[in-house]
Amino acid sequence: MYQANEHRYEKMSYRRVANTGLVLPAVSLGLWRGFGDERPLSNTRKVLLDAFDSGINHFDLANNYGPKPGSAESSFGAVFQSDLKPYRDEMIVSSKAGFDMWQGPYGSMSSKKHLVASMDQSLKRTGLDYFDIFYTHRPDEQTSFEETADTLDLFVKQGKALYIGISNYSKEQTEKMIRLFKERHTPFVIHQVSYNMLNREAEEGLLDVLQENKLGAIAYGPLAEGLLTDRSSQEIPADFPAHRTNSSLLAPEKIASTQQKLRSLKKIADAREQTLSQLALAWLLKDPTVASVVIGSTNIDHVHDNLAALQHLEFSQSELNEIKTILHS
């Protein structure tokens, strides 16, 4: 029978989401790739339990994670039932709905029909009674934002979610959702956004809006799906599987510049006695608006390498200036 490490909270740093009651580990574990039907359940169990033993008590899911939609939630649910259920009150578990799940007009996006069906399916797959955070995974321009806000607010009233989040919304769309949630007194607390050293679109007003409205950000893709690693700093693989949010970095006219940035950043990491991944995570966490970064490691050694970033989060002004010059080059 699994017994969690009694020292699991001693080395992790925990960050409050603005002035809410939600507290997240600085590093969270996302189950986007490698935790569904493409890997043995034994590996998923090993990584999840090791992460929990290391102080990672936030597990981030979505209904479409797999690659077979739903399979990551099912895998998590199996480990939850066999090992983690006694620790439910210590855990933050999130999920999302909005990307393609099934055929027909209600198989995706953010209508009430899709969100309600997705919520019920996700709870069933995970074996949970509620999610700590439930997100609308992407904006739906065909459905009124009022309908989406009403549905998410309903989940809180039904006890199916404690907090509400949004993901992949622009600055302007976020401002609209903030207004709608305030009108409904919905506990909307967090925005999950693609954000890393190479993709800084969130800095174009979105982070300011979140800070002004006492909301938190949680960064997904903090390592640009593996670009911000020692290996890629040496040479970006020709078949690198770039996420849509980072694909422009590998366009023929930009790849040389991206490679040079990685090599220059690696030199700073070396001087700080960090890996490039650790530097990239620490750089994100320097902003108090960023409550957590979501890593997707399916290898225990990689998880621990990422966690080592927490040992050196401070930056000198000269380091920040040098990084800024590299990123703007």
Side-chain angles (χ1 to χ4, degrees):
M1 183 177 178
Y2 169 69
Q3 294 285 335
N5 186 334
E6 63 180 14
H7 302 292
R8 59 190 176 279
Y9 294 114
E10 294 177 4
K11 293 184 179 180
M12 176 59 69
S13 170
Y14 296 90
R15 296 158 73 99
R16 186 170 297 276
V17 181
N19 62 350
T20 73
L22 181 62
V23 178
L24 298 176
V27 177
S28 300
L29 184 65
L31 281 70
W32 174 37
R33 288 177 175 169
F35 290 95
D37 55 340
E38 66 181 356
R39 292 286 183 90
L41 181 61
S42 59
N43 187 73
T44 295
R45 178 178 183 272
K46 183 187 301 183
V47 175
L48 288 179
L49 298 187
D50 185 85
F52 190 67
D53 282 341
S54 301
I56 297 177
N57 65 338
H58 175 216
F59 300 102
D60 183 66
L61 296 154
N63 60 353
N64 69 317
Y65 288 176
K68 181 182 178 181
S71 62
E73 288 183 328
S74 295
S75 295
F76 173 85
V79 178
F80 175 75
Q81 291 296 330
S82 64
D83 299 285
L84 290 171
K85 193 171 184 177
Y87 304 96
R88 176 64 181 102
D89 291 341
E90 299 181 33
M91 297 164 56
I92 298 294
V93 185
S94 59
S95 195
K96 318 175 196 72
F99 280 95
D100 297 348
M101 280 299 292
W102 58 85
Q103 292 183 327
Y106 295 111
S108 66
M109 303 310 289
S110 297
S111 69
K112 185 174 184 178
K113 174 78 170 175
H114 177 74
L115 291 177
V116 168
S118 293
M119 168 63 88
D120 290 344
Q121 291 174 20
S122 293
L123 287 174
K124 184 177 181 179
R125 281 190 291 264
T126 57
L128 301 175
D129 296 321
Y130 67 93
F131 287 108
D132 298 276
I133 311 170
F134 194 81
Y135 296 86
T136 169
H137 207 164
R138 60 173 169 173
D140 181 354
E141 295 289 2
Q142 303 303 311
T143 300
S144 73
F145 280 22
E146 287 81 0
E147 178 175 330
T148 300
D150 282 341
T151 307
L152 294 171
D153 184 68
L154 175 64
F155 291 155
V156 176
K157 290 180 169 60
Q158 291 175 327
K160 295 180 178 180
L162 300 185
Y163 296 99
I164 293 302
I166 64 175
S167 183
N168 298 307
Y169 280 59
S170 69
K171 170 182 174 290
E172 292 73 24
Q173 292 166 334
T174 298
E175 290 174 324
K176 184 171 184 178
M177 292 301 283
I178 289 171
R179 176 177 60 80
L180 294 173
F181 285 131
K182 282 183 177 179
E183 291 172 356
R184 290 156 178 76
H185 303 287
T186 309
F188 166 49
V189 298
I190 198 162
H191 188 308
Q192 187 167 140
V193 60
S194 175
Y195 185 30
N196 57 64
M197 283 181 135
L198 302 176
N199 174 17
R200 303 187 315 284
E201 187 176 346
E203 296 175 1
E204 298 173 8
L206 177 59
L207 293 179
D208 291 336
V209 167
L210 297 178
Q211 183 180 37
E212 291 164 6
N213 287 276
K214 293 186 170 67
L215 299 167
I218 181 167
Y220 76 83
L223 303 180
E225 286 69 57
L227 274 179
L228 288 161
T229 61
D230 287 357
R231 178 184 176 187
S232 290
S233 72
Q234 297 172 10
E235 183 177 6
I236 299 172
D239 59 348
F240 186 86
H243 186 259
R244 57 182 172 78
T245 55
N246 300 301
S247 58
S248 64
L249 298 167
L250 302 183
E253 69 277 11
K254 290 187 177 181
I255 191 166
S257 173
T258 299
Q259 185 73 82
Q260 184 55 52
K261 287 180 181 179
L262 295 175
R263 290 172 179 166
S264 298
L265 291 170
K266 177 64 166 60
K267 292 180 181 178
I268 297 177
D270 290 343
R272 287 168 54 88
E273 298 184 347
Q274 289 183 312
T275 64
L276 178 52
S277 298
Q278 291 163 2
L279 171 73
L281 297 177
W283 183 85
L284 286 170
L285 290 168
K286 71 181 176 9
D287 186 340
T289 303
V290 177
S292 184
V293 295
V294 182
I295 63 170
S297 303
T298 58
N299 179 292
I300 289 176
D301 290 338
H302 292 168
V303 172
H304 286 279
D305 179 76
N306 290 167
L307 289 175
L310 303 180
Q311 298 172 16
H312 191 179
L313 294 178
E314 301 77 18
F315 287 86
S316 68
Q317 190 57 52
S318 62
E319 287 175 328
L320 291 174
N321 292 341
E322 188 175 359
I323 290 170
K324 184 177 180 179
T325 297
I326 293 168
L327 298 182
H328 286 81
S329 63

